[in-house]
Amino acid sequence: QVQLVESGGGLVQAGGSLRLSCAASGRLFSSYAMGWFRQAPGKEREFVAAIRRNGGSTYYADSVKGRFTISRDNAKNTGYLQMNSLKPEDTAVYYCAVRSYYSDLTASELYPYWGQGTQVTVSS
């Protein structure tokens, strides 16, 4: 079993930056691939970014590619999502999730472990 806690959300103006953190406990973080997802009010949960266990391969939604960067520090059992050039449409609750097997890292239904989310609000 693994527990995840997101942090780093908040209120930022359009064009600003935030860095989200995902702290893992319970099992070795390096055993899991990690993904970030988000859900805005009245919208479906959508894929944002993912990273493999060794950090060698990353994946991004087209809507954030070039603006967001996913990374991980396995020695600290922590993953990150650096968000730059934020837009109002990025406003959502952001969730960290991990899975032990690699297949389609963009599919939220394949992740068994989730954090409780952190709110990101981008004002215009």
Side-chain angles (χ1 to χ4, degrees), residues 11 22 30 33 39 47 49 58 63-64 66 75 79 82 92 102 117 122:
L11 175 64
C22 175
S30 61
Q39 187 167 24
F47 167 76
T58 58
S63 60
V64 306
Q82 178 67 46
Y102 173 78
V122 184

Side-chain angles (χ1 to χ4, degrees), residues 54-81:
N54 62 6
S57 298
T58 58
Y59 311 87
Y60 296 95
D62 289 340
S63 60
V64 306
K65 193 171 186 178
R67 299 188 297 120
F68 292 9
T69 302
I70 188 171
S71 62
R72 64 192 299 160
D73 187 340
N74 288 340
K76 297 182 178 179
N77 288 342
T78 303
Y80 304 95
L81 183 69

Side-chain angles (χ1 to χ4, degrees), residues 45-57:
R45 182 169 297 183
E46 64 176 351
F47 167 76
V48 176
I51 188 169
R52 297 187 73 176
R53 287 174 289 177
N54 62 6
S57 298

Side-chain angles (χ1 to χ4, degrees), residues 10-119:
L11 175 64
V12 64
Q13 293 184 349
S17 299
L18 286 173
R19 189 181 74 160
L20 305 184
S21 297
C22 175
S25 63
R27 288 186 178 272
L28 191 65
F29 182 60
S30 61
S31 298
Y32 300 92
M34 180 186 71
W36 286 95
F37 299 80
R38 67 187 183 187
Q39 187 167 24
K43 302 291 185 180
E44 296 181 353
R45 182 169 297 183
E46 64 176 351
F47 167 76
V48 176
I51 188 169
R52 297 187 73 176
R53 287 174 289 177
N54 62 6
S57 298
T58 58
Y59 311 87
Y60 296 95
D62 289 340
S63 60
V64 306
K65 193 171 186 178
R67 299 188 297 120
F68 292 9
T69 302
I70 188 171
S71 62
R72 64 192 299 160
D73 187 340
N74 288 340
K76 297 182 178 179
N77 288 342
T78 303
Y80 304 95
L81 183 69
Q82 178 67 46
M83 305 185 295
N84 298 326
S85 301
L86 283 163
K87 305 174 181 179
E89 51 263 43
D90 294 319
T91 296
V93 177
Y94 283 71
Y95 298 90
C96 175
V98 298
R99 60 170 295 151
S100 58
Y101 297 108
Y102 173 78
S103 56
D104 181 4
L105 296 185
T106 70
S108 62
E109 65 270 21
L110 300 181
Y111 286 79
Y113 305 112
W114 292 79
Q116 294 185 357
T118 185
Q119 177 71 48

